[in-house]
Amino acid sequence: MIQFLRTPDERFVDLADYPFAPHYLDVEGLRMHYVDEGNPESEVVLMLHGEPSWSYLYRKMIPIVVGAGYRVVVPDLIGFGKSDKPVAVSDYSYAQHVTWLASFLEQLDLQNITLMCQDWGGLLGLRLVGEHPQRFARIVAANTFLPTGDQKPSASFEQWRDFALNVPELPVGNVIKMGSAQAMSDETIAAYNAPFPDETYKAGARIFPALVPTTPDNPASAANRAAWEVLYKWTKPFLTAFSDLDPITRGGDALFQKLIPGTNGQKHTTITDAGHFLQEDKGEDLAEILVEFIRDNPLTAL
């Protein structure tokens, strides 16, 4: 039985620009929160956040994509946002996060998904594509990658991993601020801190960087290689929309374009003046790019 904490609802009252009604479902005894906006009969856009953010990261994009006529579904990963937070770092693994999200997709029976993924949203989302390709119609990858541990990580990543694990108090809101290129208000920083009343809630945020495969024998490496075998043959539309000011994932867009056939002929773009959290810096621009990508690649043509 996993011991977990549940962030009190009052922590999320009156957040700026986050008017979305909460939805919940059970994944293996844990409550997962998600935003579900737009026409339930419309095509689905699944937006996956990463470390250490939550669905609040997509608040600028959701109204634009809904306004274009699509259904937008944005879960909070277990350990983040309004979702339950196991208190032991040992309760988190790459495989377990994939299992939790796979249960989420199955329970909502999402089909013909357009995946919008950034950071760990890609590490998890692209694994889901590899393991459940029939559910996905299109992919937008932004500042993300799918590591197998066969390449040595950068020194900056190793420093971040060690910092997240060992700093006495993990400053989640300020981490988002430091990973963004635009100015961020105190109100916005507070919203990113809202899911974590104290350090006991942050096990998931602390351990996430350490779950990235950095050696070939990592527990997640084989499964990620298997996902790549699917992506090497992926001919459905795949768009890269990386930013220009993210040192962590720089060059990943070129790698996707080289290795994945579905990238051919797409309008790949680099979003300027945006950092790692490009949804925060240029969310409106990214939403318009996403909508254009869907319209340029209708289901009837896939």
Side-chain angles (χ1 to χ4, degrees):
M1 184 76 175
I2 292 179
Q3 182 184 0
F4 64 87
L5 296 170
R6 182 169 293 172
T7 305
D9 289 341
E10 54 264 28
R11 296 277 299 183
F12 302 104
V13 174
D14 296 329
L15 295 183
D17 303 317
Y18 190 83
F20 314 114
H23 300 267
Y24 299 97
L25 52 74
D26 181 278
V27 292
E28 299 190 343
L30 296 169
R31 191 177 77 166
M32 179 177 276
H33 166 261
Y34 63 102
V35 173
D36 194 342
E37 297 283 317
N39 183 350
E41 303 303 317
S42 297
E43 286 190 51
V44 177
V45 179
L46 175 68
M47 300 182 178
L48 295 182
H49 74 84
E51 155 81 352
S53 60
W54 60 293
S55 54
Y56 185 79
L57 181 68
Y58 283 105
R59 71 194 182 283
K60 299 176 183 179
M61 297 181 62
I62 294 168
I64 293 172
V65 180
V66 168
Y70 303 106
R71 176 187 177 191
V72 179
V73 176
V74 194
D76 288 338
L77 301 177
I78 293 296
F80 298 84
K82 297 183 181 182
S83 293
D84 286 345
K85 299 167 182 68
V87 297
V89 294
S90 58
D91 288 327
Y92 297 89
S93 69
Y94 200 140
Q96 187 60 64
H97 272 293
V98 173
T99 297
W100 285 325
L101 274 177
S103 175
F104 177 83
L105 297 186
E106 290 161 8
Q107 289 186 57
L108 292 182
D109 193 25
L110 300 182
Q111 305 286 347
N112 293 319
I113 298 167
T114 297
L115 172 65
M116 172 75 244
C117 60
Q118 178 261 349
D119 191 84
W120 262 97
L123 275 74
L124 296 172
L126 296 174
R127 263 282 291 277
L128 289 169
V129 170
E131 296 178 9
H132 308 275
Q134 73 283 357
R135 290 190 178 272
F136 293 87
R138 312 175 190 88
I139 302 169
V140 180
N143 293 356
T144 191
F145 54 109
L146 185 62
T148 60
D150 296 309
Q151 289 82 34
K152 182 177 172 56
S154 66
S156 59
F157 172 79
E158 291 180 331
Q159 290 168 359
W160 158 237
R161 177 190 62 199
D162 295 342
F163 174 84
L165 277 174
N166 299 313
V167 67
E169 183 176 342
L170 183 63
V172 170
N174 281 321
V175 168
I176 306 289
K177 179 182 178 181
M178 289 185 289
S180 303
Q182 306 298 319
M184 189 179 296
S185 69
D186 291 344
E187 191 177 36
T188 299
I189 293 171
Y192 283 115
N193 285 326
F196 309 106
D198 60 49
E199 295 305 303
T200 62
Y201 289 76
K202 297 178 183 176
R206 284 186 176 278
I207 195 62
F208 234 164
L211 300 182
V212 175
T214 57
T215 59
D217 59 349
N218 183 280
S221 293
N224 280 13
R225 290 189 197 103
W228 268 111
E229 291 301 320
V230 174
L231 292 171
Y232 291 147
K233 302 170 186 174
W234 184 265
T235 57
K236 297 176 189 177
F238 190 116
L239 181 74
T240 61
F242 280 47
S243 67
D244 63 339
L245 299 176
D246 181 21
I248 300 172
T249 62
R250 182 176 291 133
D253 48 351
L255 186 66
F256 284 134
Q257 292 170 34
K258 177 182 178 181
L259 298 176
I260 300 174
T263 61
N264 294 335
Q266 297 298 332
K267 299 175 183 176
H268 304 294
T269 187
T270 299
I271 297 176
T272 59
D273 299 319
H276 181 64
F277 298 101
L278 72 173
Q279 307 97 313
E280 185 63 45
D281 287 329
K282 293 292 185 75
E284 297 88 351
D285 292 354
L286 183 56
E288 296 291 354
I289 290 165
L290 170 61
V291 168
E292 181 181 12
F293 171 63
I294 296 172
R295 290 176 174 168
D296 285 348
N297 297 277
L299 285 179
T300 53
L302 302 185

